[in-house]
Amino acid sequence: AIGRRALSVGRLNLRGNKVGVDGAVALVEAMMHGGCPLELLDLSDNGIVGLNADGSGTYKPDAVHAMCRWLCAENNPLRELKIGQNQLCGVNWEGRGRYTSVAVEALCAAIAQPACQLRSLKIFGNCWGNRDTLKLADALKRRAVPLAVVDMRWNEMGSSETEALIEAATPACTVE
């Protein structure tokens, strides 16, 4: 229904529904091609990169790449994106898995694009490391319009990287 413009959704909270990679890709593509006016999408804790909370599964950044294509599309309506607790870096909270920056780099490149109109990015609990935190700080500096909220709680950041993120976010942004 979404892809056929038969459904108009403004806010969609699917947190914890085990949407997975294929489900997230299908949903985002339907939103993008269906012209859905979605302003808030919550896909937190859904295994959108193919990994489960215990670290099992196969890492696949396809859903993040689909989100990035949507964020970079002209006139996209998305203003708030919640993708916390999805093991975006390939490891879980216990350190199980293999660290990768693929999804982080794609997301950072997308949020720095002029077409990206996000106001809130909630990427808590994804075990981002120091280098990836600095990549996010750099992306925030390149934004034409600052974010209002960046939620990076429960990530693996050092104090200098956290300071760089806060500095890049500008005083208009709440960093959690």
Side-chain angles (χ1 to χ4, degrees):
I2 293 170
R4 295 185 312 269
R5 298 181 189 211
L7 183 62
S8 179
V9 177
R11 301 172 66 83
L12 186 58
N13 182 346
L14 294 172
R15 182 183 179 105
N17 278 291
K18 299 181 181 176
V19 170
V21 177
D22 295 337
V25 168
L27 174 68
V28 170
E29 287 181 353
M31 295 290 183
M32 184 168 48
H33 299 299
C36 186
L38 190 70
E39 291 185 7
L40 179 147
L41 177 60
D42 187 347
L43 285 174
S44 298
D45 192 21
N46 268 292
I48 65 170
V49 293
L51 301 176
N52 299 311
D54 66 2
S56 64
T58 302
Y59 185 85
K60 248 176 97 175
D62 300 9
V64 175
H65 289 151
M67 286 177 209
C68 292
R69 284 191 301 276
W70 190 27
L71 289 172
C72 292
E74 290 296 322
N75 301 315
N76 78 73
L78 196 61
R79 299 297 179 263
E80 185 171 352
L81 180 61
K82 299 178 182 182
I83 51 174
Q85 297 176 305
N86 274 301
Q87 293 76 41
L88 296 180
C89 293
V91 296
N92 73 353
W93 60 276
E94 293 177 320
R96 291 188 184 136
R98 187 168 156 213
Y99 197 93
T100 177
S101 297
V102 173
V104 171
E105 290 171 356
L107 189 59
C108 288
I111 66 169
Q113 295 299 312
C116 179
Q117 298 298 308
L118 273 184
R119 300 293 297 133
S120 175
L121 179 62
K122 298 193 175 192
I123 43 182
F124 53 90
N126 277 300
C127 300
W128 284 37
N130 289 334
R131 284 191 212 132
D132 288 333
T133 302
L134 293 174
K135 291 172 189 173
L136 178 60
D138 183 58
L140 293 176
K141 287 179 189 175
R142 292 183 283 141
R143 283 183 60 87
V145 177
L147 291 175
V149 175
V150 176
D151 184 348
M152 287 288 289
R153 292 171 294 145
W154 310 318
N155 281 292
E156 306 296 322
M157 305 175 293
S159 59
S160 60
E161 290 76 15
T162 302
E163 288 174 17
L165 184 65
I166 291 169
E167 182 182 317
T170 77
C173 181
T174 300
V175 178
E176 299 175 343

